[in-house]
Every structure is written in C-alpha cells, then in structure tokens.
Amino acid sequence: MNPDVAVDLSIWELFKNAHIVVQLVIVGLLAASVWSWAIIIEKFFLFAKARKETDKFEQVFWSGQSLDELYQALAQRRNVGMAALFVAAMREWKRSTERESGEAATRPMPGVQLRVEKVMDVTISREVERLERRLTFLATVGSTAPFVGLFGTVWGIMTSFQAIATTKNTSLAVVAPGIAEALFATALGLLAAIPAVIFYNKFNAEVGRHAARLEGFADEFSAILSRQIDKSM
C-alpha cells in the first residue's frame, strides 16, 4: 500500500473493511444498544404511569369513599399496582368473611387477616416482577458490553500487526485501518454499556421506591382490617 494514498476511515468503510469477527462484534453491540434504548424508553413510560396510577388510587382511597363501593368499581376491570393490591385483599377478605350460603358471617373466620396479608405479599411480588421485567438485560449489557468491545479491539490490533507482517511496512496507511476499527469496537462497547448501567441503577431504585409504597399501603390496609375484625369480635 502506498503510504501517500489517503486512507478512508469513515464509519461505513471501517465496518465494510473490518474482519468478519470485528463486524460481528460491531453488529452485536449496535443491536444491544438499540434494544437497551427500547427498554429504557418503555420503562420511562411504565414508571411514569405507575406513579400516576398510584397517586390517583391513594387520593380516591383516602377520600372517605366506602371500601365496598371502591371494590365494586375496581373489581370488574384489570388493575395493576396499588389498585390490584387493594382488589386482591378485598376479594380474599370477602371470601373469608362470607358463609358458603353467600350470607355475611356474623364475625370474621379465624386466620382471615393472615390470609389477606399473604395475598397482599403475593400481589406485591407480582407487581415488582412486572416492573423488573427486562431490567436484567440492561444489567447484562452494562457488565459485558465493554468486554465484548475489548474483544473487537484486540482482534483489530491483531489485524494491524498482520498487515505489518504481510507488507513489511509500518506506515500509518497500513496500521490505521486496523487500529481505527479496534477503537471503533471499544467506543461501541462503551456506548452500549454506559446508558445501560445508568438506567439500570435508576430503574432499580424506582422499583424499590414503588415496592416500598405498596408495602406501606399493605401495612395500613392490614391495620384497617385488624380494626374491623376487633369490632366484629
């Protein structure tokens, strides 16, 4: 290769002229980055919706409306978050406090509060699982993408040394393409990993805050049921 000839180091040319291994690394990192951003955007809307629905439900719940009326209004539709927690608890409460004939029992059956609390725990676990879905992918990309990029980097540098050995020429025109594709793989690895790590930590904290709100509501609702049981005794 003539050292005086200009070398095209555009991104497309780097990809087109790269070794097949480096090309696979680049394609894989680009795909991981695109999918990570799709998850990030989806989670932004999901957590915003969850906060809005939780605020709305808490406002209605503490407005003084009858629990039975609120249950009847929510029981016929699909609920998530705190509304689902309330409906599951009320459904178990009603099942446990009604006789087989369908008439209301004069007093709650023993163990009803424990069963309601168990139902609320299961509902909270399902809600947390729903919010955490696909976050593992962000964690995986954040921890592995730099190493995948490093693998492409090492392979690109090996290509440069092979070019030197073949041409017996150490000019920049010989080594630049291999080094450039190596650095390109490194950059893509960081491009995929950094947002994945940042938003994984952010969304993980969001899940923790939402779970804490659900657990707080479960404790408050359990106290309400406990007072109801005491009145019925």
Side-chain angles (χ1 to χ4, degrees):
M1 181 180 294
N2 190 342
D4 296 327
V5 176
V7 180
D8 187 357
L9 297 180
S10 65
I11 292 177
W12 172 245
E13 286 298 322
L14 287 177
F15 175 79
K16 188 173 65 174
N17 297 324
H19 191 278
I20 183 63
V21 173
V22 180
Q23 287 180 341
L24 291 175
V25 168
I26 291 172
V27 170
L29 290 173
L30 284 174
S33 181
V34 170
W35 185 239
S36 295
W37 277 105
I39 294 173
I40 289 168
I41 294 171
E42 185 263 340
K43 291 298 180 184
F44 260 120
F45 286 105
L46 177 64
F47 284 109
K49 183 179 180 181
R51 287 192 299 269
K52 182 179 179 181
E53 290 179 344
T54 300
D55 293 340
K56 182 179 178 181
F57 175 81
E58 284 186 327
Q59 183 178 3
V60 174
F61 181 83
W62 298 111
S63 66
Q65 182 180 358
S66 167
L67 295 183
D68 285 331
E69 292 178 359
L70 182 58
Y71 172 71
Q72 292 300 327
L74 295 175
Q76 303 303 320
R77 69 186 191 191
R78 182 178 179 275
N79 299 286
V80 294
M82 198 171 287
L85 179 62
F86 168 76
V87 169
M90 284 294 292
R91 183 179 291 119
E92 181 60 31
W93 168 263
K94 288 184 174 295
R95 286 173 179 171
S96 299
T97 56
E98 290 179 357
R99 297 185 186 277
E100 292 183 1
S101 62
E103 297 178 357
T106 56
R107 73 172 81 182
M109 297 172 60
V112 58
Q113 185 172 3
L114 182 61
R115 288 194 295 274
V116 171
E117 290 175 352
K118 181 64 68 175
V119 166
M120 288 193 291
D121 288 341
V122 172
T123 305
I124 291 173
S125 297
R126 289 175 179 170
E127 177 67 9
V128 170
E129 182 180 355
R130 181 180 72 90
L131 295 176
E132 287 182 335
R133 197 171 299 140
R134 289 187 291 275
L135 286 185
T136 304
F137 181 82
L138 293 183
T140 302
V141 171
S143 60
T144 61
F147 296 103
V148 175
L150 182 61
F151 173 75
T153 302
V154 171
W155 203 276
I157 292 175
M158 288 171 55
T159 301
S160 295
F161 282 119
Q162 289 172 351
I164 292 174
T166 300
T167 62
K168 300 186 181 340
N169 189 344
T170 58
S171 69
L172 186 61
V174 173
V175 300
I179 294 176
E181 69 186 47
L183 296 177
F184 184 40
T186 302
L188 284 179
L190 296 176
L191 183 66
I194 292 174
V197 171
I198 292 174
F199 286 104
Y200 171 78
N201 291 332
K202 173 181 171 56
F203 294 142
N204 202 40
E206 288 273 6
V207 171
R209 283 192 290 269
H210 191 70
R213 292 185 71 177
L214 294 179
E215 290 169 358
F217 174 78
D219 291 340
E220 292 174 332
F221 192 64
S222 180
I224 292 173
L225 296 183
S226 179
R227 287 194 294 270
Q228 189 69 27
I229 292 173
D230 290 342
K231 290 179 182 179
S232 303
M233 297 299 288

